[in-house]
Amino acid sequence: MKTSNRFSLSCIALALATGIVLAAPEARADAITDWNLKAGELIAESKLGTPPAVRAMAIVQTAAHEAVQALEQRGPAQPAALDAAIAAAHRAALLKLLPAQQAAIDAAFQAALTGVPEGAAKAAALAAGEQAAATVLARRADDVIAPETYRPHTTAGAYVPTAAPAATQWALRKPWLMASTAQFRPAPPPALTSETWVRDFNEVKTLGAKVSARRSAEQTEIARFWEFSLPSIYHGVARSVALQPGRDVARNARLFATVAQAMDDAMISVFEAKYHYNFWRPVTAIRNGDIDANEATERDPSWAPLIDSPLHAEYPSAHSILAGAVGAVVRADVGKGAMPVLATSSPTAKGATRRWGSVEEFMREVASARVYEGIHFRHSTEVGLRMGQQIGDLAVEKLMQSSQ
């Protein structure tokens, strides 16, 4: 999971330079899906890192959901009124979160109101949307991002790399759904004497190397695709469901709010676990294969991963926990119906679109990508998927089922 500004800037520059839309090609469905796409673009353009971007999307999608609920509680809402309320909720939330993007936000807001007739109904809908955003923002007012205070491990006078780890303070945030940030903390990573450790060490050493004779062309494509980590790549998967025929605005608002809150709690949970265990990345382990007291792990002094290692601890995998959370929510939303083809696109794969026939196939690909990239061990991705699905199930219980 990339969280550094360097990664975010490179991804955003690629997206803007090539005109890539961060989702699979799609037709207009409703105001919720339109604004979901626009919010993802605005957040990317703001150059937020991944954890802050996930947080922003959770606030925005929750505000939109509550705006729709507020209108529907008054009786059957006209489509134009829903459009106005959704636009107002997005504008109010985004202006608070991304003040530097005001011109773009206001332009999107005005475009969304085209065709909405003037009158009391429009005014009431706009007020409902603004109130929903204000309520959500007030509720999250004590969700404070603490100052970064990481202390480098060193001895007096000794040089250590000066790049600070990312998101060391993220687990101090207030969760949306979890009872505590450590609610889903997993068991420790595998012991360095275990068979699992040997399996994982040698798999990533072989498949995840910058120059690998064993990684296939498709595996490399998958790795490059999932190098991107901003929320839009996951919300594209949710839009695969939201764009299916027969859905209404309320259901889609609930879907995106549930996905977004699950993703944000997943970020809180995974960083709590990462800095609790402080497990080493493959590049560190492989270059130090002679100090793990395991004769089956051989040191390679010049080994390098396919992509740059993120600036935070390895265990568990953050991409995997996000995939698990999104997968659990999508599975619950579809229920017993036929699962549509899931799809999304990625700037780090030159805008390519990938598709999956099931939630499980999607989740497995995300997990495997982190091994192919050379930045995660297999066990870490498996644990991340399980954590994510637990958080997704919790989100479904608290948001999706309670509001149906």
Side-chain angles (χ1 to χ4, degrees):
M1 172 64 60
K2 290 288 187 181
T3 54
S4 67
N5 286 337
R6 177 182 62 184
F7 174 81
S8 298
L9 288 171
S10 64
C11 287
I12 295 161
L14 176 59
L16 296 178
T18 57
I20 294 167
V21 176
L22 306 183
E26 56 193 37
R28 186 188 192 281
D30 57 36
I32 284 291
T33 53
D34 285 351
W35 270 106
N36 175 263
L37 184 60
K38 187 61 182 177
E41 292 171 351
L42 289 166
I43 286 170
E45 290 164 6
S46 72
K47 302 176 183 178
L48 290 179
T50 298
V54 170
R55 174 182 180 269
M57 195 61 120
I59 292 171
V60 169
Q61 297 299 154
T62 302
H65 173 50
E66 296 193 7
V68 171
Q69 283 187 312
L71 280 195
E72 295 207 325
Q73 286 170 0
R74 303 173 185 177
Q78 294 298 315
L82 287 169
D83 287 355
I86 291 164
H90 276 86
R91 179 181 183 273
L94 287 168
L95 284 176
K96 180 68 173 180
L97 297 165
L98 311 173
Q101 298 293 312
Q102 180 172 353
I105 294 166
D106 284 343
F109 175 70
Q110 292 301 328
L113 294 183
T114 302
V116 178
E118 297 295 334
K122 177 180 178 180
L126 292 175
E130 291 171 358
Q131 181 59 51
T135 299
V136 173
L137 288 165
R139 196 186 308 147
R140 302 302 297 177
D142 57 348
D143 174 22
V144 179
I145 301 174
E148 191 277 316
T149 58
Y150 180 80
R151 184 171 183 170
H153 300 283
T154 187
T155 57
Y159 169 78
V160 295
T162 53
T168 57
Q169 80 285 31
W170 212 246
L172 300 178
R173 291 184 50 224
K174 181 179 78 171
W176 292 84
L177 307 158
M178 299 184 297
S180 72
T181 60
Q183 182 175 348
F184 297 104
R185 182 193 292 168
L192 303 184
T193 55
S194 67
E195 293 182 3
T196 300
W197 170 244
V198 173
R199 178 202 70 177
D200 289 357
F201 179 102
N202 288 309
E203 180 189 32
V204 71
K205 183 180 179 183
T206 300
L207 291 179
K210 184 177 287 290
V211 179
S212 171
R214 294 280 300 279
R215 188 178 57 243
S216 70
E218 182 182 13
Q219 288 170 335
T220 300
E221 290 174 6
I222 291 170
R224 292 299 185 191
F225 188 95
W226 289 106
E227 189 175 355
F228 193 75
S229 61
L230 291 180
S232 51
I233 197 168
Y234 286 103
H235 282 262
V237 175
R239 277 194 298 275
S240 302
V241 176
L243 288 164
Q244 296 305 299
R247 296 180 65 92
D248 59 33
V249 169
R251 185 175 180 185
N252 283 343
R254 185 170 59 243
L255 168 64
F256 284 116
T258 308
V259 163
Q261 288 191 28
M263 287 178 64
D264 200 19
D265 269 19
M267 284 285 90
I268 294 171
S269 180
V270 82
F271 279 103
E272 191 283 330
K274 281 178 179 290
Y275 287 112
H276 178 78
Y277 289 117
N278 279 309
F279 199 61
W280 55 1
R281 287 279 177 178
V283 65
T284 309
I286 293 169
R287 290 191 177 206
N288 289 281
D290 57 339
I291 67 169
D292 64 359
N294 196 318
E295 294 182 357
T297 57
E298 185 177 345
R299 177 179 185 247
D300 182 341
S302 60
W303 190 89
L306 176 64
I307 71 170
D308 292 340
S309 295
L311 296 176
H312 47 78
E314 189 273 339
Y315 178 82
S317 162
H319 249 313
S320 300
I321 199 173
L322 290 177
V326 172
V329 174
V330 165
R331 185 191 294 119
D333 183 272
V334 173
K336 296 181 180 179
M339 180 64 64
V341 174
L342 305 176
T344 193
S345 62
S346 170
T348 52
K350 300 181 180 179
T353 298
R354 292 190 64 82
R355 296 174 174 83
W356 308 273
S358 69
V359 166
E360 288 69 26
E361 184 183 352
F362 151 69
M363 293 190 301
R364 285 196 302 269
E365 178 174 298
V366 175
S368 292
R370 306 313 264 174
V371 177
Y372 304 153
E373 291 162 347
I375 61 173
H376 274 297
F377 301 105
R378 177 69 64 179
H379 182 75
S380 181
T381 70
E382 294 168 346
V383 168
L385 285 180
R386 288 196 294 272
M387 290 174 68
Q389 290 179 85
Q390 289 176 304
I391 294 168
D393 289 342
L394 178 64
V396 168
E397 177 186 346
K398 291 197 170 187
L399 290 175
M400 192 171 284
Q401 294 175 350
S402 64
S403 60
Q404 288 178 340

